[in-house]
Amino acid sequence: MIVALAGGVGGARLAVGLAAVLRPAQLSVVVNTGDDFEHLGLHVSPDLDTVMYTLAGVNNPETGWGRRDESWQFMTALKELGGSDWFNLGDRDLAVHVLRTEALRAGSTLSEVTAMLARRLGVRHALLPMSDAPVRTRVITAKGELAFQDYFVRERCRPRVQGFRFAGSRAARPAPALQALMQSGRISGLVLCPSNPFVSVAPILAVPGIRAWLRRRDFPVVAVSPIVGGAALKGPAAKMMRELKLDASAAGIARHYGGLVDGWVIDHADAKLQTTIEKMGRGVLVTDTIMRSPAYSARLAATLVAYVRRLAAERR
Ligand code: GDP
Ligand code: CA
């Protein structure tokens, strides 16, 4: 069993590749829920939905969020009625938020709702929220502390970042299926998807028990750098690194994670950073990491799975 930790876009792109090369019994995708929020009375889980839609093949590849073949009658009517329109919800997308909210209100857990929605969309691999308890990412900026979606969508990531807080994390527990995996001894490797280290991966690692589990692991952790050629392919990861006075490069990312990661997969564009990362005591594999299509994702995933198996064999 391989466990993948994922945020939204970068996470989904690699997850769909892993799902193409691993059977359902061989892959569990654990997704950040620090972006979740209540909007218009609905429980919205942006990263879970991005990964779910991508695994189901119904995602919108242009935006990176929402569904393809979407219509916007709801938003038009909402605007006409003076409703709050800063966060876009497509008509088809809306059905997911309504069903999720209804099931949560009736007492289902986020894990149960996610499994139900994923199954109905035809997803066969396990898709798990990091936790069933609410964990909410807060961005500490020069303009004060902001809820994640206020920073990300309303403020378009403009405020200068000073730090992060994951409200609710202390009381949270890993989702039951993740806890079962953590105790199973059946994990052969963990993949860190090329997701934002601060607002996609850090909230997962902030769930009590997960860091300690990774520290005492007997399986390798392999990661794909979300920074390619000194830039993020999408989103504020590189901007955040600069504002936090970190080196916004694949080497800076490797330094940030330290001993948590055994092997780095970096892009050909960053080949010159290989020795720098190796000097940190980490393994490095250089390949194409830009996932332009599901075919690119599957090829990168196959390379990663082979790398995991090689590192696992070297441990024995
Ligand atoms: P979000 O929740 O939608 O912001 O998505 P993630 O945190 O999962 O992913 C954002 C990160 O994914 C950014 O830093 C991007 O540079 C990175 N990313 C997106 N697509 C790719 C890709 O094809 N290859 C690599 N290496 N990184 C990617
Ligand atoms: Ca996200």
Side-chain angles (χ1 to χ4, degrees), residues 48-266:
L48 274 173
D49 288 345
T50 294
V51 178
M52 178 171 77
Y53 290 152
T54 305
L55 288 175
V58 300
N59 60 303
N60 181 335
E62 271 86 56
T63 53
W65 52 268
R67 298 185 58 156
R68 69 176 72 203
D69 304 324
E70 188 57 284
S71 58
W72 301 94
Q73 303 269 19
F74 169 75
M75 286 307 292
T76 305
L78 187 71
K79 260 179 247 182
E80 284 166 4
L81 291 167
S84 125
D85 65 354
W86 61 274
F87 192 86
N88 283 310
L89 296 172
D91 298 335
R92 287 169 177 272
D93 189 30
L94 190 59
V96 160
H97 310 308
V98 169
L99 282 179
R100 173 186 292 124
T101 307
E102 180 195 35
L104 289 172
R105 295 228 170 107
S108 295
T109 64
L110 186 59
S111 291
E112 290 165 348
V113 182
T114 302
M116 177 266 288
L117 291 169
R119 188 179 64 243
R120 291 185 185 170
L121 278 168
V123 175
R124 293 171 57 235
H125 296 76
L127 181 63
L128 314 177
M130 64 194 198
S131 177
D132 284 340
V135 176
R136 298 292 173 260
T137 298
R138 315 266 314 168
V139 186
I140 303 161
T141 77
K143 289 181 71 180
E145 187 176 306
L146 300 172
F148 179 77
Q149 298 297 344
D150 285 341
Y151 166 79
F152 197 74
V153 180
R154 260 205 247 233
E155 298 281 342
R156 296 169 200 270
C157 308
R158 278 178 300 231
R160 171 178 282 273
V161 162
Q162 297 169 340
F164 305 91
R165 210 161 67 72
F166 307 110
S169 64
R170 222 166 298 167
R173 293 292 166 266
L178 173 56
Q179 279 188 39
L181 283 171
M182 288 161 65
Q183 287 157 11
S184 71
R186 284 177 45 238
I187 296 177
S188 49
L190 185 128
V191 172
L192 268 193
C193 293
S195 291
N196 186 304
F198 311 106
V199 296
S200 290
V201 178
I204 304 178
L205 299 178
V207 176
I210 294 190
R211 260 184 198 282
W213 167 60
L214 292 177
R215 250 191 311 258
R216 57 165 199 270
R217 68 184 182 265
D218 57 2
F219 52 81
V221 174
V222 163
V224 180
S225 174
I227 300 287
V228 176
L233 295 167
K234 200 169 195 299
K239 176 178 182 281
M240 287 175 171
M241 292 191 86
R242 288 191 296 271
E243 290 170 356
L244 295 169
K245 308 268 183 289
L246 301 171
D247 163 27
S249 75
I253 291 277
R255 198 167 294 115
H256 169 74
Y257 282 110
L260 191 73
V261 175
D262 302 303
W264 278 97
V265 175
I266 64 172

